[in-house]
Amino acid sequence: MEYLLWVIVALVTYGLMAPLTSVVTTDVPPAVALFLSTTIFLCLTAVVLVVTGTGSLAAVTTPSAGIVYVAGLFLSAGILAYYQALERGPVSVVVPIYGLFIVGSSIIGIVFLGEDLTATRAAGIVVAAAAIYLAAGGEA
């Protein structure tokens, strides 16, 4: 359960990101906003690697690192599209629709990673999808 504090920090800080991005992209193009926020992200991550001593260069050439590079491409495309959407649409609609990634990731975990599909988990996925649809005002 030690992960709960990290989840709460992620929830609060990531929850603030979308409204701030929506406001800033009225004056700053989404790609520039993403570049600037990514620069901050990279600098902070570099500090974490140095402070924790986990920044081994050998890790960037392992076979698993290739998967990380592909995931990074997906992450980059997804966040750039998210910033574009936040520039053009209301946060109250964009964020819930974007939140469908939770449902998609859950299904991928079950179908391709062999995670258990229990009745409770299936109900949770259905209810999450319905909640996102309703939160987006039926625009999802």
Side-chain angles (χ1 to χ4, degrees):
M1 297 292 260
E2 67 184 52
Y3 61 87
L4 287 179
L5 175 62
W6 292 110
V7 170
I8 292 168
V9 169
L11 169 70
V12 171
T13 57
Y14 202 72
L16 292 170
M17 191 276 304
L20 291 172
T21 300
S22 180
V23 169
V24 78
T25 53
T26 59
D27 295 325
V28 178
V32 174
L34 179 58
F35 177 81
L36 295 173
S37 61
T38 300
T39 300
I40 298 299
F41 172 73
L42 290 173
C43 291
L44 183 58
T45 302
V47 169
V48 169
L49 290 173
V50 169
V51 169
T52 62
T54 56
S56 167
L57 286 178
V60 302
T61 59
T62 64
S64 294
I67 296 171
V68 175
Y69 297 132
V70 172
L73 290 172
F74 282 117
L75 177 64
S76 298
I79 292 180
L80 186 55
Y82 185 43
Y83 275 47
Q84 293 284 342
L86 286 168
E87 176 193 35
R88 292 169 170 79
V91 171
S92 60
V93 175
V94 170
V95 172
I97 293 171
Y98 174 76
L100 279 170
F101 81 85
I102 296 167
V103 172
S105 294
S106 297
I107 293 169
I108 288 169
I110 292 163
V111 173
F112 295 105
L113 302 180
E115 297 176 1
D116 292 334
L117 175 61
T118 63
T120 303
R121 188 166 291 154
I125 291 169
V126 170
V127 170
I132 290 166
Y133 177 80
L134 293 171
E139 296 184 41

